[in-house]
Amino acid sequence: MQMSDTFFVNWTTQLRKGLLELAILNTLGSGPLYGYDIVRRLGDVDSLVINEGTVYPILSRLRNEKYVESYIEESSSGPPRKYYRLTPRGREELRRMNEHWASLHGALAQLRKERAR
Amino acid sequence: MIDFTPDAKRRFDEYLLRMRVSLRGTRAVEPEEVEQNVIEHVELALAGAPSPIGPERLDTVLEQLGPPERWLPDDERPVWRRAMDRVMAGPEDWRLAYASLGLMLLMMLTFPIGGVMLLLPAFVLSRAVVALTEERGETLGARKWLVLPPIVLALVLVCAGALLAPAGAFGAMLSEIGLRDLGLDFDNRFDRGRLFLGVLSMATGAWWIVLSGVFAMLMRPFRALFAPVTSGLKRGHAVVLTIAGVVVAGIGAVLVFAF
């Protein structure tokens, strides 16, 4: 692996770590989901989740910090499932995070535009 | 509940054990909750597959879940686990550094029963880490807190031994044979003390002057042996030792001859 490849890999790893929480909260923004379903939905976003297991400790932490809450629901096709949903606090935090992300994204787009001139 | 073959069941149990161990001691995460989610994940991923589930099919799911040791960011893992991982699986310079500190702590715990002997292997390991980082063109960084204590302690012992041990031995000999045998005889207790201190200071000063010469000649190996602590040593430091020797010997001469 070349030096520039290592740099890129490290950078994307750091970026992914920071974005995963935002992505998990956003998947729950549309309604309650169980863990496996969250993982599947995140899997649709290209190279966001390399190790699917990383999602579960984040869910546990978000629940400990009261951004999400969990409940058990019976399933028609198997054992009962553990669902997660946003709490009012989590919804507010998600709004702030999305705003911050949009502002960052906008600022970066502006920088790229200036460079292109 | 999934029906696993015995091999797959053993492999899954091992995986869950690794997960429990890697999450243990993490305050922000509840390992039981994660385990419950992982079991549910595996059951759902393998739902519909022909029973019993063999190790190959299970491995595909576990590979996608990834190694549990990588699930938590480094800063979320307990300090002791990060340390253990560095000792067990980290780069060799970290492993050596932790082994060195471990020996140093063991030395302190077993000091009354000869634990001081452990200083030598702790020193050797610390020097190995220093050599390794120098070879890679890196700095010690946070490793210095693990590596430097044995080097500093060894340096202090060597310096104290070289500077004071001969003076101590000479003092013991002086008190043993008595000043009278040297042809010096004072009945007054104060004069005896002054004379003893004077002769001892002259001998110590003379020894330091000799030592500064040896130190100047062996400066390079001495600097290399106790690097990086002694990296800043210069010949000027040997001159300082010579001056200290002259001063101490001078004080001794004053005590012996000036009264």
Side-chain angles (χ1 to χ4, degrees):
Chain A
M1 193 183 278
Q2 284 185 343
M3 187 85 164
S4 59
D5 290 338
T6 314
F7 177 80
F8 183 74
V9 168
N10 287 341
W11 178 72
T12 50
T13 306
Q14 295 300 323
L15 193 65
R16 199 165 42 236
K17 276 181 191 166
L19 283 179
L20 204 47
E21 286 164 0
L22 177 63
I24 290 172
L25 288 172
N26 268 311
T27 56
L28 292 171
S30 54
L33 291 169
Y34 54 93
Y36 184 71
D37 208 4
I38 296 171
V39 171
R40 288 277 81 90
R41 286 180 191 221
L42 293 175
D44 292 341
V45 184
D46 189 30
S47 69
L48 181 64
V49 182
I50 301 295
N51 296 314
E52 293 178 341
T54 50
V55 172
Y56 296 119
I58 294 175
L59 273 176
S60 177
R61 185 156 49 76
L62 290 172
R63 197 186 56 75
N64 263 338
E65 288 169 8
K66 307 211 182 326
Y67 292 130
V68 302
E69 57 191 5
S70 65
Y71 60 95
I72 304 289
E73 196 170 286
E74 291 298 325
S75 163
S76 55
S77 58
R81 287 169 190 174
K82 187 172 195 170
Y83 277 79
Y84 288 89
R85 67 179 163 213
L86 288 177
T87 61
R89 187 182 174 195
R91 205 165 284 282
E92 173 57 21
E93 199 61 23
L94 176 61
R95 186 191 61 75
R96 283 178 55 196
M97 287 166 80
N98 276 333
E99 272 179 19
H100 187 69
W101 173 248
S103 141
L104 268 181
H105 188 261
L108 274 173
Q110 184 64 31
L111 282 175
R112 286 174 58 198
K113 209 185 284 177
E114 281 171 15
R115 196 202 61 181
R117 270 190 217 141
Chain B
M1 197 63 145
I2 295 183
D3 183 19
F4 287 116
T5 63
D7 262 5
K9 174 86 177 67
R10 187 176 44 79
R11 204 166 289 196
F12 191 39
D13 287 343
E14 282 170 5
Y15 186 82
L16 290 177
L17 180 66
R18 274 172 59 200
M19 189 207 68
R20 274 180 233 126
V21 169
S22 72
L23 297 179
R24 194 186 296 158
T26 317
R27 267 180 277 170
V29 172
E30 283 181 24
E32 296 81 17
E33 182 182 12
V34 178
E35 181 171 343
Q36 194 186 344
N37 275 327
V38 168
I39 292 171
E40 192 179 299
H41 179 112
V42 172
E43 285 178 353
L44 286 165
L46 293 171
S51 281
I53 304 288
E56 296 81 15
R57 202 174 284 269
L58 173 68
D59 278 351
T60 313
V61 178
L62 297 185
E63 270 168 30
Q64 283 172 341
L65 278 168
E69 294 80 12
R70 290 199 198 151
W71 287 357
L72 288 176
D74 216 29
D75 54 348
E76 271 187 29
R77 298 162 68 227
V79 175
W80 64 269
R81 176 136 299 280
R82 274 182 269 167
M84 280 301 291
D85 286 352
R86 278 169 178 166
V87 173
M88 302 305 288
E92 61 269 34
D93 48 348
W94 273 103
R95 275 193 265 180
L96 289 172
Y98 275 106
S100 166
L101 185 77
L103 281 173
M104 175 90 178
L105 294 175
L106 193 62
M107 181 202 87
M108 287 156 85
L109 286 172
T110 58
F111 197 80
I113 52 168
V116 73
M117 300 298 285
L118 292 173
L119 180 61
L120 186 64
F123 174 78
V124 170
L125 287 179
S126 286
R127 282 295 298 122
V129 178
V130 172
L132 207 61
T133 46
E134 276 174 1
E135 197 178 277
R136 290 177 184 168
E138 297 171 357
T139 55
L140 278 174
R143 279 169 295 201
K144 68 181 173 198
W145 302 110
L146 309 171
V147 165
L148 293 188
I151 297 179
V152 170
L153 185 63
L155 178 64
V156 167
L157 288 179
V158 166
C159 287
L163 290 169
L164 303 176
F170 183 72
M173 192 184 74
L174 210 57
S175 60
E176 186 72 26
I177 62 173
L179 295 169
R180 210 178 293 271
D181 291 354
L182 293 175
L184 301 165
D185 184 15
F186 282 91
D187 294 331
N188 184 313
R189 218 173 143 189
F190 172 75
D191 282 342
R192 280 183 66 83
R194 174 177 59 80
L195 201 60
F196 175 81
L197 216 62
V199 173
L200 187 65
S201 297
M202 282 171 67
T204 304
W207 167 243
W208 286 4
I209 293 167
V210 173
L211 194 63
S212 66
V214 176
F215 179 47
M217 280 194 294
L218 300 177
M219 177 73 76
R220 196 186 287 262
F222 184 78
R223 208 161 38 196
L225 186 62
F226 295 102
V229 183
T230 48
S231 301
L233 273 182
K234 294 174 189 146
R235 288 197 183 273
H237 292 103
V239 176
V240 170
L241 185 59
T242 312
I243 294 167
V246 169
V247 170
V248 170
I251 292 170
V254 169
L255 286 171
V256 172
F257 301 113
F259 295 97

